Amino acid sequence: MLTPIKTICCLGAGYVGGPTMAMIAAKCPHLQVTVADYNPQRIAAWNSDELPVYEPGLKEIVASVIGKNLFFTTEIREAIRTADLIFVCVGTPTKSYGIGAGRAADLRYIESAARLIAEVAEGNKIIVEKSTIPVKTATAIQSILEANSMHGATFQVLSNPEFLAEGTAVEDMESPDRILIGGQSDPAGLAAVKKLSDIYAAWIPRERIITTNLWSSELSKLVANAFLAQRISSINSISALCEATGADVDEVGRAIGMDSRIGKKFLKASVGFGGSCFQKDILNLVYLCEAFHLPEVAEYWRQVVHINDWQKSRFVEKIVRTLFNTVNGKRIAVFGFAFKKDTNDTRESAAIHVCRNLLLEHAKLAIYDPRVDEEAILTDLQGAGVPQELLETHVHICTDPYQAVEGAHALATLTEWDEFRSMDFARIFDLMLKPAFVFDGRAVLPAEELKAHGFDVFSIGKGI
Ligand code: NAD
Ligand code: UDX
């Protein structure tokens, strides 16, 4: 008889750790779930009314379980000690130094989490990698745990990558396409896989919970993100051809997406994909291929990132060229800074690149995003290398979109927030300088309506 899991802890209270554990707590009232992080501000925010992560529906879920069977704490050691099963959900950013800089995953948070678990743990523990990591990381975690176990604990390491997307995290967790669990095929490994599967089976049909060996599970996560990002780069490459030929990328996307072998999702052309995962995970895949002496495979996937970078730069060039080859001193209203709608996350947002390059051309930016605050925008632009002086004199963060367009030469849409689709465009036209240019980097604005108001409109992937 397997002893069922009663207590869970999660190391890392970020965009994945917080929401996934809230969902498990809500679906499994018999489990005690503790999310531990050494960042006291983050933990305080999870324990407040202002959650550190904005996701539609998340606040309600957290409110329904917090203090009952969901707890957020900085007492990491205690959380590890009392847990039967430990999710590791710490960041795995791209390494910025040393060997593999700019491509490899930086595994220092994973390693320090494993060392801490080894130091504190007693009895039998199941360790679940939820962070996205390079294939074979489970072996490294297992060796660290075994070599450093201070209290004779035994460990089973599982891989359980997370596939939620930001902005739709709640529905993705509520009804995932699949739950993937990788583990060892010996009896202890199979028992651990069964215990984790049983947790998810509380609300997810068994046929959607799939099990594989550890390495397939680890690799599948990188490959899923690489395939998704590849679709976006593919359609974005075609967006340029559409603009050159008079075709319409949305029509092309619809036509090819109706082929059931291609499918209709992830064919929306954009100013470029962003987010904390796609670029990082592809670069990680590229690095792995290089490490396994597969340069052709590495080069193939590198192109997905290359096209994405090109798409962002091309958008800026289009703006500069259209505004009579200079944006120096011109006010450009920027609608949207998050990397996609329905999130406050700006990591790797295309808006950072576009705004940075426009600022380096000495444009004056009036930026409006319904969920991203001023501090986050300024920190991102500073991190992207915008000189402090330009930040102070050329960036104005607005809390109202109409304020942003006042006296602007151009409006650039960089995030597809729903509210942008149905604004008072007559009022916007009146507020802007003429000719009033619109650069729709998401092709979400009603172009014909805008033209009727008198705007000069460029939409990504739309020929004249
Ligand atoms: P994040 O940066 O939002 O959160 C990570 C948290 O881990 C931070 O709060 C940090 O303080 C904490 N942390 C680091 N070391 C710790 C330790 N030893 N003990 C306790 N806490 C520690 O990152 P995220 O977006 O939640 O991503 C986490 C992982 O999940 C990454 O590997 C990422 O690739 C993967 N992932 C992310 C998404 C997403 O949409 N963001 C989706 C799927 C998978
Ligand atoms: C992604 C994966 O979808 C998810 O499965 C994984 O767990 C984490 O990485 P996320 O980055 O949160 O999720 O959002 P996603 O919806 O994939 O969008 C990523 C970027 O691609 C955004 O900038 C989005 O605007 C862009 N995108 C998406 C497009 O430009 N076109 C599309 O058709 C779809």
Side-chain angles (χ1 to χ4, degrees):
M1 243 284 274
L2 295 176
T3 13
I5 302 293
K6 293 201 187 85
T7 48
I8 286 179
C9 101
C10 173
L11 302 185
Y15 281 85
V16 172
T20 52
M21 293 306 120
M23 181 60 76
I24 290 179
K27 299 293 184 183
C28 306
H30 58 285
L31 293 178
Q32 171 158 323
V33 182
T34 304
V35 188
D37 200 300
Y38 52 52
N39 179 334
Q41 287 86 19
R42 235 181 191 180
I43 292 299
W46 280 111
N47 283 318
S48 77
D49 284 339
E50 284 299 315
L51 302 187
V53 169
Y54 171 72
E55 279 291 339
L58 180 64
K59 210 169 179 177
E60 292 74 9
I61 293 178
V62 172
S64 71
V65 281
I66 195 157
K68 293 180 186 151
N69 67 330
L70 176 69
F71 303 91
F72 289 93
T73 181
T74 51
E75 301 290 328
I76 302 181
R77 287 164 185 270
E78 181 61 10
I80 294 173
R81 212 180 47 73
T82 52
D84 302 322
L85 181 147
I86 300 164
F87 284 100
V88 177
C89 220
V90 301
T92 48
T94 303
K95 210 174 159 198
S96 58
Y97 52 89
I99 300 167
R103 290 165 301 153
D106 189 340
L107 296 177
R108 69 185 142 145
Y109 304 111
I110 293 277
E111 174 156 353
S112 72
R115 286 185 185 277
L116 190 61
I117 294 170
E119 191 189 317
V120 176
E122 297 164 16
N124 306 321
K125 303 272 186 202
I126 298 174
I127 313 301
V128 184
E129 304 169 334
K130 200 170 245 322
S131 300
T132 304
I133 28 78
V135 63
K136 294 274 179 187
T137 303
T139 315
I141 295 180
Q142 188 84 43
S143 349
I144 292 168
L145 291 170
E146 281 167 11
N148 295 283
S149 176
M150 306 266 268
H151 306 284
T154 60
F155 302 100
Q156 271 300 319
V157 178
L158 302 179
S159 159
N160 171 220
E162 181 51 56
F163 293 98
L164 69 78
E166 290 179 28
T168 52
V170 170
E171 53 186 282
D172 292 344
M173 292 184 300
E174 184 87 42
S175 180
D177 288 345
R178 78 313 209 175
I179 291 291
L180 175 58
I181 301 177
Q184 306 276 21
S185 55
D186 57 7
L190 293 173
V193 169
K194 163 116 184 41
K195 287 184 183 185
L196 182 57
S197 304
D198 287 347
I199 292 175
Y200 286 112
W203 79 98
I204 295 161
R206 288 270 180 192
E207 62 274 16
R208 285 206 223 154
I209 304 174
I210 61 170
T211 57
T212 64
N213 76 30
L214 275 168
W215 326 134
S216 305
S217 174
E218 291 177 332
L219 187 57
S220 297
K221 175 64 200 179
L222 293 183
V223 174
N225 274 351
F227 268 59
L228 289 168
Q230 179 203 46
R231 280 174 74 93
I232 302 169
S233 279
S234 297
I235 200 73
N236 280 346
S237 72
I238 299 302
S239 72
L241 191 57
C242 288
E243 289 159 26
T245 57
D248 177 328
V249 76
D250 281 341
E251 291 180 353
V252 173
R254 192 167 80 242
I256 64 167
M258 285 178 77
D259 185 326
S260 58
R261 295 168 301 175
I262 295 176
K264 62 181 191 305
K265 295 184 181 167
F266 270 68
L267 287 178
K268 182 72 185 150
S270 64
V271 58
F273 61 73
S276 64
C277 295
F278 280 171
Q279 175 168 308
K280 159 176 91 72
D281 293 347
I282 295 174
L283 292 174
N284 189 351
L285 187 65
V286 166
Y287 184 70
L288 273 174
C289 294
E290 286 171 352
F292 286 99
H293 308 295
L294 298 166
E296 290 80 4
V297 186
E299 193 45 40
Y300 175 77
W301 288 106
R302 201 194 311 275
Q303 282 302 314
V304 173
V305 176
H306 178 69
I307 286 285
N308 198 49
D309 289 338
W310 175 75
Q311 184 78 343
K312 292 181 271 188
S313 302
R314 172 174 106 70
F315 188 73
V316 174
E317 281 163 26
K318 177 78 190 175
I319 294 177
V320 176
R321 268 203 320 275
T322 310
L323 294 185
F324 316 109
N325 290 310
T326 176
V327 291
N328 191 323
K330 291 182 180 168
R331 181 173 169 106
I332 299 177
V334 172
F335 277 13
F337 201 82
F339 81 97
K340 62 186 282 198
K341 72 171 182 176
D342 290 340
T343 178
N344 60 342
D345 196 349
T346 59
R347 289 179 288 180
E348 300 296 337
S349 178
I352 301 174
H353 180 103
V354 170
C355 290
R356 194 245 345 252
N357 285 11
L358 287 172
L359 285 166
L360 295 181
E361 291 285 337
H362 293 190
K364 291 198 159 190
L365 302 186
I367 305 173
Y368 166 74
D369 186 288
R371 288 282 169 187
V372 183
D373 61 32
E374 174 161 357
E375 192 189 336
I377 295 174
L378 294 178
T379 307
D380 283 338
L381 292 176
Q382 195 173 39
V386 176
Q388 188 61 31
E389 193 198 326
L390 276 181
L391 279 182
E392 284 165 18
T393 54
H394 283 60
V395 180
H396 181 43
I397 311 297
C398 302
T399 50
D400 174 65
Y402 298 98
Q403 179 196 2
V405 294
E406 209 172 332
H409 293 256
L411 159 62
T413 318
L414 304 184
T415 312
E416 74 285 19
W417 287 101
D418 288 336
E419 68 178 65
F420 299 155
R421 294 171 190 264
S422 53
M423 304 201 57
D424 184 345
F425 295 113
R427 183 174 165 204
I428 293 179
F429 186 74
D430 284 346
L431 287 167
M432 286 176 63
L433 299 185
K434 311 297 174 311
F437 291 99
V438 170
F439 299 91
D440 186 357
R442 297 286 184 162
V444 287
L445 303 181
E448 292 313 314
E449 186 188 331
L450 289 174
K451 284 177 194 163
H453 283 296
F455 289 100
D456 277 332
V457 183
F458 164 77
S459 293
I460 205 95
K462 311 268 177 172
I464 343 95

